[in-house]
Amino acid sequence: MAGRMPGEPGGHRDALRELSARHGARGGLLPAALERIRAATAAGPEEWAPQVAVAAGLPGAAGLGPATYFADLAAPRGERHVRVCTATACFAARGGRHLGEAEDALGVPAGHVAADGRTSLQTVRCLGYCYAGPAALDGTRPCVGADLADQLAGRAEPRAPGIPVADTTAAPVLLAGIVAGESAWDVWRRAAAAPRPDDVREEVAAAGLRGRGGAGFPVAAKWAAVAGRPGAVVVANGDEGDPGSYADRLLMEEDPERVLAGLALACLACGASRGTVLVRSEYPKAMARLRRAVRDAVAAGDLAATAGEAGPRPYVEIVEGAGSYVAGEETALVARLEGARGVARPRPPYPTDHGLWDAPTVVNNVETLAAVPWIVRHGGAAYARRGVPDETGTKLVCLSERFARPGAYEVELGTPVGEIVTRFGGGLKDGGELVALQIGGPLGGFLAGNALDVPLASRALAERGAALGHAGLVAFDAGTDPIELLRHVWEFAAEESCGACAPCRIGTRRGLELAREASGTPGEAYARLARLMGEASLCAFGRGVPAAVRSLGRAYGAALEGWDR
């Protein structure tokens, strides 16, 4: 059809956005309202979600959509609600056996409520305890370790070890506050005293800073796309969903001031008076720490107390996610904030043109923003000297529970992966053999344990069929069955597909069926499926799954013959 329909920027029409706009953006009120009701009832969403929407002045379907889409809203709830992590690092820790053990300990199968209504069990991916798993959240109380079932049953005291942290660079950027005690607010106060947005953008451009959420887009270019445009918004994406990574959790919990100061500097650079931080619901401690940090910053005069008072000092709100991997993709994240289902939207238009409520919107990952105070303090040139010429700076690398020394390490980009595994991680615990290494999350890819002579850099990893992503490293030893790992990858893909496009929605389910049937080499049907998903899926999730499976097939060789196509 030629031309555009009213309220259809860039030719893309979103009925909920148009409807909510006519009702004063009431869709934005839905997430919190739905979460409040979900926490107070064991009934299914079909019984309460429509009424919540109607109370907000919207049709019932506007509430039913997100309430049946997001796992936290759709999962059955008992008086005691337990979330057990079934992500990759926890799977590797116990070969997936911990879920059955938790079911036995609680007397309820996953996805159900006990007959007496007292206990419910939900599977999630991930809880950010990849360094010490398997893990669960009993309400908001974490339980972590090999004796997880005993902790849930009350036979052992709940444990939640802190994240082991180390800087390997001698001049930390991201860990500057945690290990070196540098204040990020001091940087912001100097910048806010004599605001020069161009200077901030120029330093970040000189630094060569790229997004740390996976896409690696130049940050200064994204900021320049919205600079000076009325109504600009900056969103800090704390919806860290890559199993194996807990970098964002570390920063939000242990140095929330650095995240907020980075967000404030981004708002200054973009001319935005408002910022938002979306935090995963699986990170309750991070949510609490950030909210307290915002209150302290308002009291100190670093942030505005209300949207009406915002100006050079922005107003910042903290919003909770509701359990969806794809909702970390920037267009899906915007949809979530607007009260819709967290599904990817076609691009163009891009969020920098038509983002949150059609306002120019920058979405930056938490780790990306945490680097900005150091860059503004020390200069873009100093940052650009770190790393490698085409990928500057440092990165938080997260090592999983199978390593002898798991934890979060700040390293310079370009550091050999093998050095990270052996020198920093100490190899595998108990002298185990590293058979395969997942890097960068479920869409990152796998490397064979004897093929780690590759720099930690996007281009070099891509040449090996892997990706940097969030740089979580999950180790697999000889105790992992490669066929079970293959099925685990497809189960994640099928569960987390947002369903917005047929190639991914149907393709992930069919891939899971083939993986469950796997007893030999997959046929030509799988090769066609992989090509279709890789070429026709709407977003990087569907396009990335076949590539991740191919890398797994290469890492295991003959054991997964045919899956490397």
Side-chain angles (χ1 to χ4, degrees):
M1 181 182 295
R4 299 179 185 174
M5 298 180 66
E8 190 180 357
H12 169 58
R13 184 172 186 270
D14 191 309
L16 177 60
R17 178 182 285 182
E18 293 179 24
L19 179 64
S20 295
R22 292 200 299 270
H23 288 269
R26 290 174 185 166
L29 303 174
L30 272 178
L34 291 169
E35 287 155 12
R36 283 195 301 272
I37 300 301
R38 168 75 284 179
T41 180
E46 64 283 351
E47 296 188 26
W48 48 266
Q51 287 76 14
V52 174
V54 170
L58 297 167
L64 194 59
T68 55
Y69 172 80
F70 288 104
D72 288 351
L73 299 175
R77 289 284 184 103
E79 297 172 19
R80 177 192 182 191
H81 187 62
V82 177
R83 289 176 282 180
V84 173
C85 180
T86 57
T88 313
C90 286
F91 169 84
R94 297 274 298 142
R97 295 185 300 275
H98 67 288
L99 176 58
E101 293 167 353
E103 291 175 322
D104 291 341
L106 296 170
V108 59
H112 292 80
V113 180
D116 60 6
R118 296 184 62 184
T119 306
S120 54
L121 181 61
Q122 176 188 352
T123 58
V124 297
R125 307 172 180 90
C126 131
L127 295 177
Y129 287 90
C130 316
Y131 55 93
L137 282 177
D138 190 350
T140 59
R141 183 180 63 182
C143 301
V144 181
D147 62 343
L148 175 64
D150 289 335
Q151 294 179 48
L152 293 174
R155 296 187 294 265
E157 287 296 316
R159 295 193 309 279
I163 300 173
V165 176
D167 169 58
T168 72
T169 70
V173 173
L174 300 161
L175 297 179
I178 296 173
V179 305
E182 285 191 11
S183 169
W185 280 129
D186 288 347
V187 180
W188 164 243
R189 288 163 188 158
R190 288 194 294 270
R196 296 176 63 89
D198 291 350
D199 289 352
V200 177
R201 291 199 303 274
E202 287 170 7
E203 292 295 347
V204 171
L209 178 65
R210 291 178 175 269
R212 299 300 191 222
F217 192 82
V219 174
K222 186 179 282 191
W223 288 1
V226 306
R229 297 174 62 184
V233 179
V234 179
V235 177
N237 185 352
D239 196 24
E240 173 183 54
D242 279 356
S245 177
Y246 40 92
D248 290 353
R249 182 189 146 218
L250 170 68
L251 292 167
M252 290 187 290
E253 289 184 2
E254 301 302 327
D255 198 0
E257 292 82 6
R258 185 162 304 276
V259 175
L260 294 174
L263 175 59
L265 288 163
C267 287
L268 173 63
C270 296
S273 61
R274 186 165 186 159
T276 298
V277 186
L278 183 89
V279 185
R280 303 181 70 223
S281 66
E282 295 89 344
Y283 290 175
K285 184 178 177 181
M287 176 71 66
R289 290 282 176 87
L290 277 165
R291 284 177 170 160
R292 185 171 64 196
V294 167
R295 290 195 297 269
D296 292 346
V298 169
D302 294 318
L303 298 176
T306 66
E309 299 173 43
R313 289 171 173 77
Y315 170 70
V316 173
E317 62 178 341
I318 310 298
V319 178
E320 186 174 14
S324 167
Y325 178 79
V326 173
E329 190 272 340
E330 62 178 11
T331 63
L333 183 148
V334 167
R336 156 67 181 167
L337 292 174
E338 292 177 342
R341 298 166 71 244
V343 301
R345 290 168 167 168
R347 294 183 291 181
Y350 293 90
T352 49
D353 291 321
H354 295 280
L356 187 62
W357 301 115
D358 278 341
T361 302
V362 164
V363 180
N364 285 143
N365 161 263
V366 158
E367 186 178 336
T368 307
L369 293 172
V372 175
W374 192 97
I375 292 170
V376 174
R377 180 193 293 268
H378 298 278
Y383 187 87
R385 289 192 290 270
R386 318 286 293 274
V388 291
D390 56 343
E391 290 185 60
T392 61
T394 67
K395 183 80 185 71
L396 284 176
V397 177
C398 299
L399 274 58
S400 72
E401 174 271 349
R402 291 286 86 190
F403 287 95
R405 292 192 293 271
Y409 295 82
E410 184 165 1
V411 304
E412 292 204 7
L413 285 167
T415 302
V417 172
E419 180 179 356
I420 296 171
V421 167
T422 56
R423 180 182 171 193
F424 305 142
L428 297 199
K429 60 171 57 176
D430 301 323
E433 176 192 0
L434 178 62
V435 178
L437 182 75
Q438 184 186 56
I439 182 167
L443 304 184
F446 294 81
L447 299 172
N450 59 1
L452 304 182
D453 56 335
V454 55
L456 187 79
S458 297
R459 184 176 300 174
L461 288 168
E463 291 173 355
R464 298 289 187 90
L468 179 63
H470 269 86
L473 303 187
V474 180
F476 297 92
D477 56 25
T480 300
D481 181 340
I483 294 294
E484 289 301 316
L485 179 55
L486 172 72
R487 292 168 183 162
H488 171 82
V489 171
W490 278 111
E491 284 169 0
F492 178 91
E495 285 288 330
E496 294 295 343
S497 172
C498 75
C501 69
C504 180
R505 181 179 66 251
I506 299 172
T508 53
R509 294 172 186 170
R510 181 55 183 149
L512 177 57
E513 291 174 358
L514 292 171
R516 285 174 172 167
E517 297 167 0
S519 56
T521 303
E524 182 60 29
Y526 172 70
R528 291 195 300 269
L529 172 69
R531 285 196 299 270
L532 177 64
M533 288 184 64
E535 295 173 4
S537 294
L538 177 62
C539 76
F541 182 83
R543 294 193 298 269
V545 171
V549 172
R550 280 196 293 273
S551 71
L552 178 63
R554 287 192 296 269
Y556 275 97
L560 293 178
E561 183 181 355
W563 289 95
D564 57 349
R565 292 193 290 173

